[in-house]
Amino acid sequence: MSTDIDVWRAAAAATGPADRGAAEAGVRLAYRTAGLAEPERIVWADSPRAAVRLLDEDDGPCGPAARGRGVREAVRSAPWAAERDRAQRRLGPQGWGRHWGATGGHLWEHTERLAERVRSGLVEELTAGSADPAAAERSLRLLLLDAVLGQHDAAWLCAFDTQEGTPLHGLGVLARSAGWWWPYERLAVLCERPVELHRDEAGRLDRGDGPALAFPDGFALHAWRGMPVPAEFLAGLGTLTPERIREEENAELRRVMLEFYGYDRYLRESGATPVHQDETGVLWRIPMPDDEPVVMVEVVNSTPEPDGTSRTYWLRVPPTTRTARQGVAWTFGLEPEAYAPIRQT
């Protein structure tokens, strides 16, 4: 079984033009491996949004009459299930668990989270303004059930052998070459990969000055540390003031503003006053409308910097914190009475 996690991690995060020749060869091989005739046509779309729009045209060239029945079960689900069952029989339940933990388990959370964000982004954009949003969402989600995730199937493909001659070779080639795709009896619709992908150290979509995920046709997702935000919201982050932050009615967006602006800067510029001070530091509290307060401890590093200055740090602590000592102790996982450092650093 393949355990080359780095190869599949790179495939899941790949941006830039698809290798269309390799991807189309992978599609045809996947159909043949499933015992199906190759699709009569392979159509390319610049994003999952573009693919869904093509497939949603009842009388269009990719509509239901033109494409025939969906074959995702035969092309993707059945081969995957067969390989999983074979591996479980060979390795046993515990052996399979260890193998999954050493391969696909490393990638699953990030790739599945990214795929779900794409789905939710599609639903939000393509149902906006619909006369019957609930019906539009049901129809769209049915189409999304037909999708094979291509590069975002990297986690489970990582756990299996996808070398030439194996049942999953065609799917593996396609996942390393393109994005999402839709398999039907007479037609396959393949998507380009994103042109941009920005994530934080935790693997969450994250960018403060543009789309965190963007496709060639302009379909994009904006996010700050994993939280979806409107594009126009990000455009205004560079002109934030304490007043603008306080006026924001959406508590989640207000938190994003505070993180971007900086809690320490907000404290300095908003006229906040300390609520407690002792030998460990200064406790500050920022009331937030319709939200829990932001509580922080200001501490000074007792070890001087090379230039002789002492650096100030701001530590966010739980809103129930009542004293500076309690807050500093919390950052070390201690009760206040147990926190008695010989030297604070």
Side-chain angles (χ1 to χ4, degrees):
M1 293 184 182
S2 171
T3 57
D4 196 343
I5 299 172
D6 289 339
V7 170
W8 286 109
R9 181 180 287 112
T15 57
D19 184 338
R20 293 195 173 192
E24 291 180 10
V27 167
R28 294 187 177 97
L29 176 57
Y31 273 64
R32 294 197 304 270
T33 302
L36 301 173
E38 295 179 8
E40 298 168 10
R41 291 186 296 136
I42 295 177
V43 176
W44 282 89
D46 278 342
S47 73
R49 179 184 67 182
V52 167
R53 284 175 170 169
L54 283 173
L55 295 167
D56 200 37
E57 295 177 359
D58 288 341
D59 298 325
C62 298
R67 64 181 182 248
R69 62 185 177 88
V71 295
R72 182 183 187 275
E73 174 67 24
V75 169
R76 189 272 195 192
S77 300
W80 169 80
E83 289 300 288
R84 181 197 57 192
D85 292 346
R86 185 178 68 83
Q88 289 177 336
R89 288 194 301 270
R90 184 171 70 84
L91 298 172
Q94 291 184 341
W96 165 251
R98 287 192 295 269
H99 176 72
W100 173 255
T103 56
H106 283 285
L107 307 181
W108 178 258
E109 181 180 358
H110 289 170
T111 54
E112 178 58 24
R113 186 164 56 193
L114 182 56
E116 183 53 38
R117 281 289 289 111
V118 173
R119 293 188 193 97
S120 60
L122 289 170
V123 169
E124 180 180 355
E125 179 174 337
L126 295 179
T127 61
S130 172
D132 188 345
E137 180 173 346
R138 285 194 298 271
S139 176
L140 176 54
R141 289 197 178 277
L142 285 174
L143 273 178
L144 292 175
L145 287 176
D146 287 339
V148 182
L149 302 188
Q151 69 184 117
H152 296 155
D153 273 335
W156 69 264
L157 285 167
C158 178
F160 302 104
D161 189 350
T162 61
Q163 297 295 315
E164 187 173 358
T166 62
L168 300 180
H169 180 55
L171 293 174
V173 168
L174 203 155
R176 290 190 293 270
S177 306
W180 290 22
W181 64 289
W182 276 257
Y184 294 95
E185 186 177 16
R186 297 189 294 276
L187 167 76
V189 176
L190 278 62
C191 292
E192 284 287 346
R193 292 181 292 210
V195 292
E196 291 189 74
L197 173 63
H198 303 269
R199 295 189 286 190
D200 63 12
E201 63 280 358
R204 302 171 299 185
L205 288 177
D206 178 46
R207 189 179 178 190
D209 59 353
L213 181 73
F215 286 85
D217 66 343
F219 173 60
L221 302 176
H222 296 78
W224 173 264
R225 297 183 181 176
M227 179 183 158
V229 295
E232 59 273 17
F233 172 80
L234 291 179
L237 289 181
T239 58
L240 284 177
T241 63
E243 293 75 19
R244 171 68 185 91
I245 294 172
R246 284 194 295 270
E247 291 169 358
E248 175 56 51
E249 296 180 355
N250 184 304
E252 291 184 336
L253 293 182
R254 191 165 56 238
R255 291 176 190 174
V256 172
M257 290 176 169
L258 277 169
E259 289 183 1
F260 186 90
Y261 197 73
Y263 293 105
D264 53 342
R265 181 184 174 192
Y266 182 87
L267 285 169
R268 290 194 305 269
E269 298 180 6
S270 64
T273 57
V275 296
H276 182 264
Q277 183 171 356
D278 58 29
E279 71 280 4
T280 64
V282 182
L283 184 70
W284 300 82
R285 182 180 300 271
I286 310 172
M288 286 290 142
D290 302 318
D291 197 8
E292 65 183 23
V294 173
V295 181
M296 306 193 75
V297 179
E298 176 188 359
V299 298
V300 178
N301 189 354
S302 60
T303 303
E305 298 294 316
D307 63 0
T309 61
S310 295
R311 188 172 179 182
T312 299
Y313 293 90
W314 301 80
L315 311 174
R316 187 166 184 184
V317 295
T320 55
T321 303
R322 294 291 177 261
T323 68
R325 174 178 292 277
Q326 181 187 3
V328 175
W330 177 85
T331 67
F332 289 97
L334 299 172
E335 294 298 323
E337 57 273 12
Y339 176 69
I342 297 174
R343 187 180 191 188
Q344 294 182 42
T345 60

